[in-house]
Amino acid sequence: MVRMHPRVAGPELDAWVLHDLSVDHRVTDRAGAAERAADMLRERMIDGYLRPGTRLSEDALGEALSVSRNTLREAFRLLTHERLVEHRLHRGVFVRRLTPDDVRDLYRLRHLLEGGALATAEPSLPAPALDQARHAVEQGEQAWARGDHQGVGTSNMRFHAAIVALSRSTRAEEVMRGVLAELRLVFHEADDPAKLHEPYLRRNRELLELLLGGDLDAAATSLRTYLQDAEVQLVAAAGLNRPGS
């Protein structure tokens, strides 16, 4: 997948985001145009390229994705259902800004998805998911070393997607992609990205080593505390830019 450079869009779509989408579009098939367009926008949210409050221009995105206005509106409808975008009357479609209650609810779901994946995983963990987890941790550490906080956040998303992949459930993985897209929007609200990410680089590494060692009980216990701590931090971040905060 093509990546231009580590900028983020907002409040209007930048030209490089549109170029990135148009390049990606050319290597996808023609089936399910609305679902494909929604997938591509969701992926940009997970990777941190679209921040809360970004206006999603129908004309610009339709041209970049080579889809009709009706197809793009259907993609927006799908993303609205996933709570990733919102329609503002007479203004257009915007990437959502999550509330603290949104974050709390997402963490309830994360405990079910990630904790459940570890609780039900077979002793012989699937090698592709472990490889994905290992690669995500290594990529996160490399991104931190070069000061790329956006890259650290993306690697963190990939690591937790890999945990859910241990369940061998494609449905759980699909739900997790939506969860990660919502959570990534909250990352943008943090006033200090380094402070947000630094503790979890070490904790991701520790979780990975427990998984590689096959100690699922210890991994589940570590994950539970990890998610509790992260929830407190992101609930606070989500409240920073709300009206009246």
Side-chain angles (χ1 to χ4, degrees):
M1 183 173 291
V2 176
R3 290 288 175 265
M4 299 295 290
H5 53 78
R7 292 176 56 196
V8 292
E12 297 290 335
L13 285 165
D14 287 343
W16 72 266
V17 176
L18 297 171
H19 178 270
D20 189 32
L21 287 167
S22 68
V23 172
D24 202 357
H25 161 74
R26 288 196 289 268
V27 298
T28 59
D29 60 38
R30 303 296 301 179
E35 291 84 355
R36 175 167 44 81
D39 285 344
M40 293 168 67
L41 291 172
R42 187 188 307 105
E43 192 73 13
R44 286 350 182 252
M45 292 178 196
I46 292 174
D47 287 351
Y49 287 86
L50 294 172
R51 67 167 58 248
T54 301
R55 181 178 176 274
L56 302 178
S57 165
E58 285 188 1
D59 291 339
L61 286 173
E63 181 178 355
L65 295 170
S66 297
V67 297
S68 69
R69 186 180 297 268
N70 286 341
T71 295
L72 190 59
R73 287 176 178 174
E74 176 62 15
F76 287 162
R77 187 191 67 79
L78 294 172
L79 294 174
T80 299
H81 181 71
E82 297 175 21
R83 303 180 181 88
L84 294 174
V85 305
E86 61 186 3
H87 181 268
R88 300 178 188 173
L89 190 62
H90 304 309
R91 296 182 61 193
V93 176
F94 294 79
V95 179
R96 271 194 75 218
R97 172 163 281 122
L98 273 66
T99 68
D101 282 344
D102 287 325
V103 176
R104 293 185 186 99
D105 194 42
L106 284 169
Y107 271 86
R108 294 186 190 102
L109 185 52
R110 287 193 71 179
H111 280 283
L112 291 172
L113 289 171
E114 296 183 62
L118 295 184
T120 60
E122 300 173 6
S124 178
L125 297 175
L130 286 177
D131 289 343
Q132 179 185 341
R134 182 188 295 107
H135 181 70
V137 168
E138 292 171 352
Q139 289 293 104
E141 292 168 346
Q142 292 167 14
W144 178 264
R146 62 177 182 268
D148 178 9
H149 298 139
Q150 182 175 333
V152 174
T154 298
S155 298
N156 185 62
M157 300 286 99
R158 304 304 180 206
F159 176 70
H160 289 281
I163 290 179
V164 174
L166 295 173
S167 68
R168 293 185 168 92
S169 168
T170 56
R171 288 174 174 82
E173 291 182 65
E174 182 178 350
V175 173
M176 188 61 174
R177 281 193 289 274
V179 170
L180 294 177
E182 284 194 83
L183 282 172
R184 189 59 188 262
L185 299 181
V186 187
F187 283 11
H188 290 294
E189 309 287 14
D191 57 355
D192 187 344
K195 183 178 180 181
L196 174 68
H197 293 303
E198 183 178 18
Y200 300 102
L201 283 170
R202 172 182 53 81
R203 294 174 81 163
N204 285 351
R205 170 61 70 179
E206 291 171 353
L207 261 175
L208 174 65
E209 296 304 326
L210 291 172
L211 294 172
L212 293 175
D215 194 343
L216 293 179
D217 288 340
T221 299
S222 177
L223 176 67
R224 190 177 307 113
T225 304
Y226 179 123
L227 293 180
Q228 289 168 348
D229 293 345
E231 178 181 353
V232 171
Q233 195 170 11
L234 287 180
V235 163
L240 288 176
N241 295 313
R242 306 304 301 177
S245 62

PDB file of all heavy atoms in Angstrom, residues 118-148:
ATOM      1  N   LEU A 118      -7.462 -14.068  23.658  1.00  0.00           N
ATOM      2  CA  LEU A 118      -6.470 -14.785  24.457  1.00  0.00           C
ATOM      3  C   LEU A 118      -7.112 -15.902  25.276  1.00  0.00           C
ATOM      4  O   LEU A 118      -6.528 -16.970  25.446  1.00  0.00           O
ATOM      5  CB  LEU A 118      -5.738 -13.806  25.380  1.00  0.00           C
ATOM      6  CG  LEU A 118      -4.873 -12.743  24.688  1.00  0.00           C
ATOM      7  CD1 LEU A 118      -4.130 -11.913  25.726  1.00  0.00           C
ATOM      8  CD2 LEU A 118      -3.886 -13.385  23.717  1.00  0.00           C
ATOM      9  N   ALA A 119      -8.326 -15.655  25.752  1.00  0.00           N
ATOM     10  CA  ALA A 119      -9.002 -16.665  26.583  1.00  0.00           C
ATOM     11  C   ALA A 119      -9.377 -17.901  25.785  1.00  0.00           C
ATOM     12  O   ALA A 119      -9.421 -19.007  26.339  1.00  0.00           O
ATOM     13  CB  ALA A 119     -10.244 -16.062  27.220  1.00  0.00           C
ATOM     14  N   THR A 120      -9.663 -17.716  24.495  1.00  0.00           N
ATOM     15  CA  THR A 120     -10.130 -18.839  23.685  1.00  0.00           C
ATOM     16  C   THR A 120      -9.077 -19.354  22.714  1.00  0.00           C
ATOM     17  O   THR A 120      -9.345 -20.317  21.978  1.00  0.00           O
ATOM     18  CB  THR A 120     -11.379 -18.428  22.879  1.00  0.00           C
ATOM     19  OG1 THR A 120     -11.057 -17.334  22.009  1.00  0.00           O
ATOM     20  CG2 THR A 120     -12.509 -17.999  23.812  1.00  0.00           C
ATOM     21  N   ALA A 121      -7.896 -18.745  22.698  1.00  0.00           N
ATOM     22  CA  ALA A 121      -6.853 -19.159  21.754  1.00  0.00           C
ATOM     23  C   ALA A 121      -6.389 -20.581  22.050  1.00  0.00           C
ATOM     24  O   ALA A 121      -6.287 -20.997  23.205  1.00  0.00           O
ATOM     25  CB  ALA A 121      -5.668 -18.203  21.824  1.00  0.00           C
ATOM     26  N   GLU A 122      -6.110 -21.310  20.993  1.00  0.00           N
ATOM     27  CA  GLU A 122      -5.564 -22.655  21.141  1.00  0.00           C
ATOM     28  C   GLU A 122      -4.096 -22.555  21.541  1.00  0.00           C
ATOM     29  O   GLU A 122      -3.419 -21.571  21.217  1.00  0.00           O
ATOM     30  CB  GLU A 122      -5.714 -23.411  19.829  1.00  0.00           C
ATOM     31  CG  GLU A 122      -7.160 -23.560  19.380  1.00  0.00           C
ATOM     32  CD  GLU A 122      -7.277 -24.166  17.999  1.00  0.00           C
ATOM     33  OE1 GLU A 122      -6.238 -24.580  17.448  1.00  0.00           O
ATOM     34  OE2 GLU A 122      -8.408 -24.204  17.469  1.00  0.00           O
ATOM     35  N   PRO A 123      -3.589 -23.555  22.265  1.00  0.00           N
ATOM     36  CA  PRO A 123      -2.183 -23.496  22.706  1.00  0.00           C
ATOM     37  C   PRO A 123      -1.204 -23.268  21.553  1.00  0.00           C
ATOM     38  O   PRO A 123      -0.190 -22.593  21.713  1.00  0.00           O
ATOM     39  CB  PRO A 123      -1.974 -24.863  23.359  1.00  0.00           C
ATOM     40  CG  PRO A 123      -3.349 -25.274  23.810  1.00  0.00           C
ATOM     41  CD  PRO A 123      -4.287 -24.731  22.769  1.00  0.00           C
ATOM     42  N   SER A 124      -1.514 -23.839  20.391  1.00  0.00           N
ATOM     43  CA  SER A 124      -0.674 -23.619  19.217  1.00  0.00           C
ATOM     44  C   SER A 124      -1.188 -22.386  18.490  1.00  0.00           C
ATOM     45  O   SER A 124      -2.128 -22.455  17.689  1.00  0.00           O
ATOM     46  CB  SER A 124      -0.724 -24.844  18.290  1.00  0.00           C
ATOM     47  OG  SER A 124       0.054 -24.619  17.136  1.00  0.00           O
ATOM     48  N   LEU A 125      -0.579 -21.255  18.791  1.00  0.00           N
ATOM     49  CA  LEU A 125      -1.054 -19.995  18.235  1.00  0.00           C
ATOM     50  C   LEU A 125      -0.748 -19.913  16.746  1.00  0.00           C
ATOM     51  O   LEU A 125       0.279 -20.415  16.284  1.00  0.00           O
ATOM     52  CB  LEU A 125      -0.397 -18.819  18.970  1.00  0.00           C
ATOM     53  CG  LEU A 125      -0.721 -18.704  20.452  1.00  0.00           C
ATOM     54  CD1 LEU A 125       0.096 -17.580  21.089  1.00  0.00           C
ATOM     55  CD2 LEU A 125      -2.210 -18.463  20.671  1.00  0.00           C
ATOM     56  N   PRO A 126      -1.639 -19.282  15.965  1.00  0.00           N
ATOM     57  CA  PRO A 126      -1.421 -19.189  14.521  1.00  0.00           C
ATOM     58  C   PRO A 126      -0.178 -18.372  14.186  1.00  0.00           C
ATOM     59  O   PRO A 126      -0.036 -17.225  14.619  1.00  0.00           O
ATOM     60  CB  PRO A 126      -2.698 -18.514  14.003  1.00  0.00           C
ATOM     61  CG  PRO A 126      -3.293 -17.838  15.193  1.00  0.00           C
ATOM     62  CD  PRO A 126      -2.913 -18.646  16.377  1.00  0.00           C
ATOM     63  N   ALA A 127       0.710 -18.970  13.402  1.00  0.00           N
ATOM     64  CA  ALA A 127       1.974 -18.315  13.068  1.00  0.00           C
ATOM     65  C   ALA A 127       1.789 -16.978  12.359  1.00  0.00           C
ATOM     66  O   ALA A 127       2.516 -16.022  12.660  1.00  0.00           O
ATOM     67  CB  ALA A 127       2.839 -19.257  12.224  1.00  0.00           C
ATOM     68  N   PRO A 128       0.844 -16.837  11.408  1.00  0.00           N
ATOM     69  CA  PRO A 128       0.703 -15.529  10.747  1.00  0.00           C
ATOM     70  C   PRO A 128       0.376 -14.403  11.722  1.00  0.00           C
ATOM     71  O   PRO A 128       0.894 -13.284  11.581  1.00  0.00           O
ATOM     72  CB  PRO A 128      -0.452 -15.767   9.762  1.00  0.00           C
ATOM     73  CG  PRO A 128      -0.422 -17.233   9.491  1.00  0.00           C
ATOM     74  CD  PRO A 128      -0.034 -17.860  10.792  1.00  0.00           C
ATOM     75  N   ALA A 129      -0.477 -14.675  12.708  1.00  0.00           N
ATOM     76  CA  ALA A 129      -0.820 -13.638  13.678  1.00  0.00           C
ATOM     77  C   ALA A 129       0.379 -13.293  14.549  1.00  0.00           C
ATOM     78  O   ALA A 129       0.617 -12.121  14.870  1.00  0.00           O
ATOM     79  CB  ALA A 129      -1.999 -14.088  14.541  1.00  0.00           C
ATOM     80  N   LEU A 130       1.149 -14.303  14.963  1.00  0.00           N
ATOM     81  CA  LEU A 130       2.351 -14.034  15.753  1.00  0.00           C
ATOM     82  C   LEU A 130       3.374 -13.237  14.944  1.00  0.00           C
ATOM     83  O   LEU A 130       4.028 -12.328  15.468  1.00  0.00           O
ATOM     84  CB  LEU A 130       2.969 -15.347  16.232  1.00  0.00           C
ATOM     85  CG  LEU A 130       2.238 -16.071  17.371  1.00  0.00           C
ATOM     86  CD1 LEU A 130       2.934 -17.395  17.675  1.00  0.00           C
ATOM     87  CD2 LEU A 130       2.182 -15.192  18.618  1.00  0.00           C
ATOM     88  N   ASP A 131       3.527 -13.572  13.680  1.00  0.00           N
ATOM     89  CA  ASP A 131       4.442 -12.817  12.818  1.00  0.00           C
ATOM     90  C   ASP A 131       3.985 -11.373  12.681  1.00  0.00           C
ATOM     91  O   ASP A 131       4.799 -10.442  12.684  1.00  0.00           O
ATOM     92  CB  ASP A 131       4.533 -13.477  11.443  1.00  0.00           C
ATOM     93  CG  ASP A 131       5.290 -14.787  11.459  1.00  0.00           C
ATOM     94  OD1 ASP A 131       6.021 -15.035  12.441  1.00  0.00           O
ATOM     95  OD2 ASP A 131       5.144 -15.573  10.501  1.00  0.00           O
ATOM     96  N   GLN A 132       2.668 -11.188  12.553  1.00  0.00           N
ATOM     97  CA  GLN A 132       2.117  -9.831  12.452  1.00  0.00           C
ATOM     98  C   GLN A 132       2.391  -9.052  13.733  1.00  0.00           C
ATOM     99  O   GLN A 132       2.765  -7.873  13.689  1.00  0.00           O
ATOM    100  CB  GLN A 132       0.614  -9.902  12.197  1.00  0.00           C
ATOM    101  CG  GLN A 132      -0.072  -8.544  12.100  1.00  0.00           C
ATOM    102  CD  GLN A 132      -1.587  -8.659  11.955  1.00  0.00           C
ATOM    103  OE1 GLN A 132      -2.105  -9.712  11.573  1.00  0.00           O
ATOM    104  NE2 GLN A 132      -2.304  -7.591  12.276  1.00  0.00           N
ATOM    105  N   ALA A 133       2.225  -9.713  14.876  1.00  0.00           N
ATOM    106  CA  ALA A 133       2.483  -9.050  16.158  1.00  0.00           C
ATOM    107  C   ALA A 133       3.958  -8.684  16.296  1.00  0.00           C
ATOM    108  O   ALA A 133       4.299  -7.568  16.714  1.00  0.00           O
ATOM    109  CB  ALA A 133       2.051  -9.957  17.307  1.00  0.00           C
ATOM    110  N   ARG A 134       4.836  -9.608  15.931  1.00  0.00           N
ATOM    111  CA  ARG A 134       6.278  -9.350  16.020  1.00  0.00           C
ATOM    112  C   ARG A 134       6.676  -8.187  15.115  1.00  0.00           C
ATOM    113  O   ARG A 134       7.416  -7.289  15.520  1.00  0.00           O
ATOM    114  CB  ARG A 134       7.056 -10.614  15.633  1.00  0.00           C
ATOM    115  CG  ARG A 134       8.571 -10.443  15.740  1.00  0.00           C
ATOM    116  CD  ARG A 134       9.313 -11.634  15.174  1.00  0.00           C
ATOM    117  NE  ARG A 134       9.075 -12.865  15.923  1.00  0.00           N
ATOM    118  CZ  ARG A 134       8.331 -13.876  15.497  1.00  0.00           C
ATOM    119  NH1 ARG A 134       7.721 -13.806  14.316  1.00  0.00           N
ATOM    120  NH2 ARG A 134       8.185 -14.959  16.226  1.00  0.00           N
ATOM    121  N   HIS A 135       6.167  -8.212  13.894  1.00  0.00           N
ATOM    122  CA  HIS A 135       6.500  -7.146  12.941  1.00  0.00           C
ATOM    123  C   HIS A 135       5.993  -5.799  13.443  1.00  0.00           C
ATOM    124  O   HIS A 135       6.698  -4.782  13.337  1.00  0.00           O
ATOM    125  CB  HIS A 135       5.879  -7.477  11.584  1.00  0.00           C
ATOM    126  CG  HIS A 135       6.164  -6.463  10.527  1.00  0.00           C
ATOM    127  ND1 HIS A 135       7.416  -6.286   9.976  1.00  0.00           N
ATOM    128  CD2 HIS A 135       5.354  -5.558   9.909  1.00  0.00           C
ATOM    129  CE1 HIS A 135       7.375  -5.319   9.074  1.00  0.00           C
ATOM    130  NE2 HIS A 135       6.139  -4.859   9.023  1.00  0.00           N
ATOM    131  N   ALA A 136       4.796  -5.775  14.020  1.00  0.00           N
ATOM    132  CA  ALA A 136       4.224  -4.514  14.508  1.00  0.00           C
ATOM    133  C   ALA A 136       5.067  -3.934  15.640  1.00  0.00           C
ATOM    134  O   ALA A 136       5.311  -2.722  15.688  1.00  0.00           O
ATOM    135  CB  ALA A 136       2.794  -4.742  14.980  1.00  0.00           C
ATOM    136  N   VAL A 137       5.510  -4.787  16.550  1.00  0.00           N
ATOM    137  CA  VAL A 137       6.343  -4.305  17.660  1.00  0.00           C
ATOM    138  C   VAL A 137       7.666  -3.754  17.131  1.00  0.00           C
ATOM    139  O   VAL A 137       8.118  -2.669  17.543  1.00  0.00           O
ATOM    140  CB  VAL A 137       6.586  -5.439  18.677  1.00  0.00           C
ATOM    141  CG1 VAL A 137       7.677  -5.039  19.680  1.00  0.00           C
ATOM    142  CG2 VAL A 137       5.294  -5.766  19.421  1.00  0.00           C
ATOM    143  N   GLU A 138       8.286  -4.471  16.226  1.00  0.00           N
ATOM    144  CA  GLU A 138       9.559  -4.018  15.670  1.00  0.00           C
ATOM    145  C   GLU A 138       9.395  -2.699  14.909  1.00  0.00           C
ATOM    146  O   GLU A 138      10.223  -1.793  15.037  1.00  0.00           O
ATOM    147  CB  GLU A 138      10.130  -5.093  14.743  1.00  0.00           C
ATOM    148  CG  GLU A 138      10.571  -6.350  15.489  1.00  0.00           C
ATOM    149  CD  GLU A 138      10.932  -7.494  14.560  1.00  0.00           C
ATOM    150  OE1 GLU A 138      10.682  -7.355  13.330  1.00  0.00           O
ATOM    151  OE2 GLU A 138      11.438  -8.518  15.045  1.00  0.00           O
ATOM    152  N   GLN A 139       8.312  -2.595  14.134  1.00  0.00           N
ATOM    153  CA  GLN A 139       8.064  -1.364  13.389  1.00  0.00           C
ATOM    154  C   GLN A 139       7.809  -0.189  14.330  1.00  0.00           C
ATOM    155  O   GLN A 139       8.237   0.937  14.070  1.00  0.00           O
ATOM    156  CB  GLN A 139       6.863  -1.553  12.452  1.00  0.00           C
ATOM    157  CG  GLN A 139       7.123  -2.469  11.276  1.00  0.00           C
ATOM    158  CD  GLN A 139       8.126  -1.891  10.309  1.00  0.00           C
ATOM    159  OE1 GLN A 139       9.293  -2.305  10.275  1.00  0.00           O
ATOM    160  NE2 GLN A 139       7.701  -0.953   9.509  1.00  0.00           N
ATOM    161  N   GLY A 140       7.114  -0.452  15.433  1.00  0.00           N
ATOM    162  CA  GLY A 140       6.864   0.594  16.413  1.00  0.00           C
ATOM    163  C   GLY A 140       8.146   1.102  17.047  1.00  0.00           C
ATOM    164  O   GLY A 140       8.335   2.313  17.234  1.00  0.00           O
ATOM    165  N   GLU A 141       9.023   0.181  17.388  1.00  0.00           N
ATOM    166  CA  GLU A 141      10.291   0.569  17.996  1.00  0.00           C
ATOM    167  C   GLU A 141      11.164   1.363  17.017  1.00  0.00           C
ATOM    168  O   GLU A 141      11.824   2.330  17.406  1.00  0.00           O
ATOM    169  CB  GLU A 141      11.012  -0.689  18.478  1.00  0.00           C
ATOM    170  CG  GLU A 141      10.301  -1.367  19.656  1.00  0.00           C
ATOM    171  CD  GLU A 141      10.828  -2.749  19.974  1.00  0.00           C
ATOM    172  OE1 GLU A 141      11.564  -3.330  19.139  1.00  0.00           O
ATOM    173  OE2 GLU A 141      10.495  -3.270  21.059  1.00  0.00           O
ATOM    174  N   GLN A 142      11.142   0.966  15.755  1.00  0.00           N
ATOM    175  CA  GLN A 142      11.910   1.692  14.748  1.00  0.00           C
ATOM    176  C   GLN A 142      11.325   3.089  14.511  1.00  0.00           C
ATOM    177  O   GLN A 142      12.071   4.065  14.356  1.00  0.00           O
ATOM    178  CB  GLN A 142      11.931   0.893  13.445  1.00  0.00           C
ATOM    179  CG  GLN A 142      12.718  -0.407  13.533  1.00  0.00           C
ATOM    180  CD  GLN A 142      12.473  -1.322  12.353  1.00  0.00           C
ATOM    181  OE1 GLN A 142      11.928  -0.915  11.323  1.00  0.00           O
ATOM    182  NE2 GLN A 142      12.884  -2.582  12.482  1.00  0.00           N
ATOM    183  N   ALA A 143       9.998   3.179  14.507  1.00  0.00           N
ATOM    184  CA  ALA A 143       9.364   4.485  14.323  1.00  0.00           C
ATOM    185  C   ALA A 143       9.692   5.418  15.488  1.00  0.00           C
ATOM    186  O   ALA A 143       9.939   6.612  15.294  1.00  0.00           O
ATOM    187  CB  ALA A 143       7.849   4.309  14.193  1.00  0.00           C
ATOM    188  N   TRP A 144       9.698   4.871  16.694  1.00  0.00           N
ATOM    189  CA  TRP A 144      10.033   5.684  17.869  1.00  0.00           C
ATOM    190  C   TRP A 144      11.462   6.210  17.763  1.00  0.00           C
ATOM    191  O   TRP A 144      11.729   7.380  18.063  1.00  0.00           O
ATOM    192  CB  TRP A 144       9.873   4.854  19.141  1.00  0.00           C
ATOM    193  CG  TRP A 144      10.243   5.613  20.374  1.00  0.00           C
ATOM    194  CD1 TRP A 144      11.440   5.605  21.028  1.00  0.00           C
ATOM    195  CD2 TRP A 144       9.408   6.534  21.099  1.00  0.00           C
ATOM    196  NE1 TRP A 144      11.410   6.451  22.113  1.00  0.00           N
ATOM    197  CE2 TRP A 144      10.182   7.028  22.179  1.00  0.00           C
ATOM    198  CE3 TRP A 144       8.101   6.971  20.938  1.00  0.00           C
ATOM    199  CZ2 TRP A 144       9.663   7.949  23.094  1.00  0.00           C
ATOM    200  CZ3 TRP A 144       7.587   7.885  21.845  1.00  0.00           C
ATOM    201  CH2 TRP A 144       8.366   8.356  22.910  1.00  0.00           C
ATOM    202  N   ALA A 145      12.368   5.366  17.313  1.00  0.00           N
ATOM    203  CA  ALA A 145      13.778   5.752  17.213  1.00  0.00           C
ATOM    204  C   ALA A 145      13.983   6.916  16.245  1.00  0.00           C
ATOM    205  O   ALA A 145      14.897   7.730  16.430  1.00  0.00           O
ATOM    206  CB  ALA A 145      14.611   4.552  16.781  1.00  0.00           C
ATOM    207  N   ARG A 146      13.136   7.015  15.228  1.00  0.00           N
ATOM    208  CA  ARG A 146      13.289   8.124  14.272  1.00  0.00           C
ATOM    209  C   ARG A 146      12.332   9.270  14.567  1.00  0.00           C
ATOM    210  O   ARG A 146      12.213  10.206  13.763  1.00  0.00           O
ATOM    211  CB  ARG A 146      13.111   7.630  12.835  1.00  0.00           C
ATOM    212  CG  ARG A 146      11.765   7.047  12.496  1.00  0.00           C
ATOM    213  CD  ARG A 146      11.685   6.648  11.012  1.00  0.00           C
ATOM    214  NE  ARG A 146      10.381   6.120  10.669  1.00  0.00           N
ATOM    215  CZ  ARG A 146      10.049   4.840  10.704  1.00  0.00           C
ATOM    216  NH1 ARG A 146      10.958   3.932  11.041  1.00  0.00           N
ATOM    217  NH2 ARG A 146       8.831   4.448  10.385  1.00  0.00           N
ATOM    218  N   GLY A 147      11.634   9.200  15.709  1.00  0.00           N
ATOM    219  CA  GLY A 147      10.756  10.292  16.114  1.00  0.00           C
ATOM    220  C   GLY A 147       9.445  10.355  15.366  1.00  0.00           C
ATOM    221  O   GLY A 147       8.795  11.408  15.324  1.00  0.00           O
ATOM    222  N   ASP A 148       9.026   9.257  14.787  1.00  0.00           N
ATOM    223  CA  ASP A 148       7.795   9.190  13.998  1.00  0.00           C
ATOM    224  C   ASP A 148       6.651   8.702  14.887  1.00  0.00           C
ATOM    225  O   ASP A 148       6.360   7.512  14.955  1.00  0.00           O
ATOM    226  CB  ASP A 148       7.996   8.246  12.809  1.00  0.00           C
ATOM    227  CG  ASP A 148       6.748   8.068  11.962  1.00  0.00           C
ATOM    228  OD1 ASP A 148       5.761   8.796  12.185  1.00  0.00           O
ATOM    229  OD2 ASP A 148       6.763   7.178  11.080  1.00  0.00           O
TER     230      ASP A 148
END
